[in-house]
Amino acid sequence: VFEPLAEGAEGSMPPGLLTRQALLASLCVDLGGRVAEEALLRPLEVSSGASSDLRSATRKAMAMASEWGLADSVLSVDALGARCSEATLGRAERAAGDLLARALGSTRAVLGSREGLRCLRLASERLLETEEADAEALSAPPVDLAALRAVATAEAEAWAPEAWTADSTAAP
């Protein structure tokens, strides 16, 4: 699902280690603000407000592809240093771009679903009323987090493990 396991939960990683699932979820979260604007506003009203989130998502995706072996290669661009060719760096950038495109598509599928749009509209209304709200206030009924979680779970299943191992011997 697009949410990391709680620290210390059964099956969770030790502090400081991140799973592919947690990083993919984090990419989707980073892209959520932009997708929310796209879903709720007209195309020309989408703002630059998500710039720091986009920067964060790009850095994560690039690290996944070039440092952590969590894209389609286990080659570390950082370890190559000055010996890293433009072609290798370009492949890492394309892999990071592919991760971002996939995460963006998943985020759009979840937040663009009937349940996602309903939750976005309710959260937007609450923020307009109060100008500030914590996670508890934004997720209070009638927001149906179970329905939204079901959509996210179905979308996460499209990120099946076989998609990551099918080309595991490819060059970076």
Side-chain angles (χ1 to χ4, degrees), residues 45-133:
E45 294 175 329
V46 173
S47 75
S48 62
S51 64
S52 65
D53 293 334
L54 297 176
R55 214 173 6 263
S56 172
T58 300
R59 285 184 181 129
K60 263 181 235 165
M62 195 62 191
M64 290 174 72
S66 67
E67 296 174 36
W68 301 332
L70 295 175
D72 63 356
S73 172
V74 293
L75 182 69
S76 171
V77 171
D78 185 51
L80 292 173
R83 296 177 311 201
C84 182
S85 70
E86 289 296 319
T88 298
L89 185 56
R91 284 191 294 270
E93 289 171 343
R94 282 189 295 282
D98 290 346
L99 286 169
L100 289 168
R102 197 166 182 188
L104 183 61
S106 290
T107 306
R108 284 178 173 152
V110 173
L111 294 181
S113 69
R114 190 179 91 244
E115 294 81 4
L117 288 170
R118 184 169 182 267
C119 288
L120 283 175
R121 287 187 185 110
L122 288 167
S124 177
E125 289 169 11
R126 288 179 182 162
L127 285 170
L128 288 171
E129 289 170 5
T130 63
E131 294 185 24
E132 275 186 28

